[in-house]
Amino acid sequence: MSYPGYPPSGYPTFPGYPPTGQESAYPPAGQYTYPAVPGGFPPMGGGAYPAAPPTGGFPGAAGYPPPGGYPPAPGGYPGAPQPGGMPAYPGGAGFGAPSNGSSFGYPQPPSQSYGGPVQIPAGYPGGQISTPIPPQPAAMTQSTQGTIRPAANFDAGRDAEILRKAMKGFGTDEQAIIDVVANRSSAQRQQIKTAFKTMYGKDLIKDLKSELSGNMEELILALFLPTTYYDAWSLRHAMKGAGTQESVLIEILCTRTNQEIREIVRCYNSEFGRDIEHDIRADTSGHFERLLVSMCQGNRDEVQTVDYQKAQADAQRLYQAGEGQLGTDESSFNMILATRSFPQLKATMDAYSQIANRDLLSSIDREFSGNVERGLKAILKCAQSRPAFFAERLYHAMKGAGTDDSALVRIVVTRSEIDLVQIKQMFTQMYQKTLGTMISSDTSGDYRRLLLAIVGQ
């Protein structure tokens, strides 16, 4: 039995086995990924480990699986992949289903291991390993995908003319505006703004604001703001005036890449003449303040390979900092969750579950409260699945009475060119309804039509 796309062609099937052409690095220096055996690692060709694979790949090499594929984990693979590569909702043990009290809050797509010890072919010492299969290199991982892509045969001047006609005279042709803005990338929209001012000597944003109102206005303006500026503006708006919108600070600062955060920090300073760290310190306090200050440094490790020894050590340290003692050492949680890469944190969560007999999210529930709890959990949920985190945010923005339209607009716009396709898939798996269906029931008019056009419904 084999699984689609696994293992990737030319990628080592077992942990730590040197890739073709790197057999001299056996075992990899400083990486104890083979199971330890008395007397240390056997020499190359010694027979205790499988022979090095022949040129052309691993299938058929001694001690490796036959061409039929990698042997299944006990209990089977939890959920077959869906079109586009996203796993189906597993529904099996260990994958907490939504709204059933699971501390995860959403299903965890299978990632590095398949639910149990992997049976190893004869010739590999130990018979089985419990270490997860190493993640694929970045080039081999599931790529994300936005619902909006750059339009072909793009003509900024033509689009500017369409928008001018849609707003000229009595009334506004909202459908013409929707047809343009929902089918152009953010970079193309910036070119349309420039062309509009060049052709008509008028500011497109001001003209749109004079023609639109309410949620439709907010959505259109969000689409025409440069992405980095929109994030910086959202953070400033969240801290400006009385009160603070902590959920916005968490959503942006705990989910963006290092490069995105650094650009946001620079934009915040240049556009608003303010230091974001100073504003965070003025508007928050305690361990939540420290977590956000750590986040706005943009210094998270982004290496995609996983060090399983470090994951085990970090899991042990987190256990001793929380469940394993009276009181909580918050600085240990801050240090590990603010600096480790997301794949590394995922491995740490797996190791923690084995040490503590409960998942790390549950322990954070027990050890923390308030905004710092929500911030730490946001980081861990992104480590598990960033699309699932945003799917959950969208669901709660529309769940129950009333709609958090600002959150709905912000997430749909900011993820529309990154991973909104995967967010939609996760939304359906988690809540048994499509994102488009929920948007349709919670919004109306031109606002609804534009949102649905962006999400591709």
Side-chain angles (χ1 to χ4, degrees), residues 59 64 71 78 81 117 132 227 235-236 284 323 346 362 392 445:
Y64 282 84
T227 304
L235 291 170
R236 177 65 190 133
T284 61
E323 298 276 2
K346 175 65 172 65
S362 293
E392 184 182 41

Side-chain angles (χ1 to χ4, degrees), residues 18-291:
T20 303
Q22 299 180 24
E23 290 82 0
S24 60
Y26 172 91
Q31 298 181 21
Y32 303 99
T33 50
Y34 283 96
V37 296
F41 293 102
M44 278 293 283
Y49 285 106
T55 302
F58 287 82
Y64 282 84
Y70 195 77
Y77 180 76
Q82 296 292 308
M86 291 302 292
Y89 181 76
F95 297 93
S99 305
N100 65 352
S102 165
S103 60
F104 284 83
Y106 50 76
Q108 307 164 65
S111 54
Q112 298 163 357
S113 63
Y114 292 128
V118 179
Q119 300 302 317
I120 303 303
Y124 200 96
Q128 67 177 26
I129 57 172
S130 58
T131 307
I133 299 166
Q136 301 173 27
M140 297 182 182
T141 56
Q142 168 68 45
S143 62
T144 53
Q145 183 181 337
T147 55
I148 292 181
R149 299 183 179 185
N153 303 316
F154 171 66
D155 184 333
R158 183 181 59 209
D159 285 347
E161 188 175 0
I162 291 171
L163 293 177
R164 172 63 175 158
K165 288 180 179 177
M167 294 183 286
K168 189 177 181 181
F170 182 76
T172 304
D173 185 352
E174 287 87 355
Q175 189 59 52
I177 296 174
I178 291 172
D179 290 341
V180 170
V181 300
N183 295 288
R184 305 292 184 270
S185 68
S186 178
Q188 289 175 335
R189 292 185 211 110
Q190 307 316 307
Q191 295 179 52
I192 295 170
K193 280 198 303 185
T194 301
F196 192 93
K197 183 170 286 189
T198 301
M199 294 166 65
Y200 304 112
K202 302 183 71 176
D203 187 283
L204 175 59
I205 300 300
K206 289 183 179 178
D207 275 15
L208 287 169
K209 288 184 71 172
S210 68
E211 297 290 329
L212 305 170
S213 62
N215 294 323
M216 180 65 170
E217 176 189 347
E218 181 176 354
L219 178 54
I220 287 281
L221 296 183
L223 286 165
F224 274 101
L225 292 176
T227 304
T228 299
Y229 180 91
Y230 184 39
D231 274 345
W233 178 88
S234 297
L235 291 170
R236 177 65 190 133
H237 184 71
M239 292 185 281
K240 187 178 181 180
T244 304
Q245 296 173 290
E246 291 86 355
S247 62
V248 177
L249 305 183
I250 292 169
E251 179 196 302
I252 295 175
L253 293 175
C254 293
T255 67
R256 303 304 194 246
T257 65
N258 287 346
Q259 181 180 349
E260 288 168 341
I261 288 175
R262 291 169 186 169
E263 290 174 354
I264 290 166
V265 169
R266 284 195 293 269
C267 180
Y268 192 96
N269 180 263
S270 62
E271 295 296 328
F272 307 116
R274 304 181 66 89
D275 179 74
I276 193 170
E277 186 175 323
H278 177 272
D279 284 356
I280 286 171
R281 293 186 185 281
D283 273 59
T284 61
S285 61
H287 298 296
F288 182 55
E289 171 197 326
R290 295 170 202 169
L291 178 65

Side-chain angles (χ1 to χ4, degrees), residues 338-393:
T339 62
R340 303 295 190 252
S341 71
F342 285 131
Q344 186 69 34
L345 285 174
K346 175 65 172 65
T348 300
M349 295 176 76
D350 294 340
Y352 187 92
S353 297
Q354 297 176 6
I355 292 171
N357 290 323
R358 69 162 46 94
D359 61 75
L360 185 52
L361 287 166
S362 293
S363 291
I364 287 177
D365 273 332
R366 294 159 62 95
E367 298 292 323
F368 294 88
S369 62
N371 292 315
V372 67
E373 174 197 341
R374 288 190 281 274
L376 293 172
K377 288 171 72 173
I379 294 169
L380 293 177
K381 287 181 178 182
C382 282
Q384 290 177 312
S385 169
R386 190 182 271 107
F389 169 78
F390 284 112
E392 184 182 41
R393 286 278 295 147

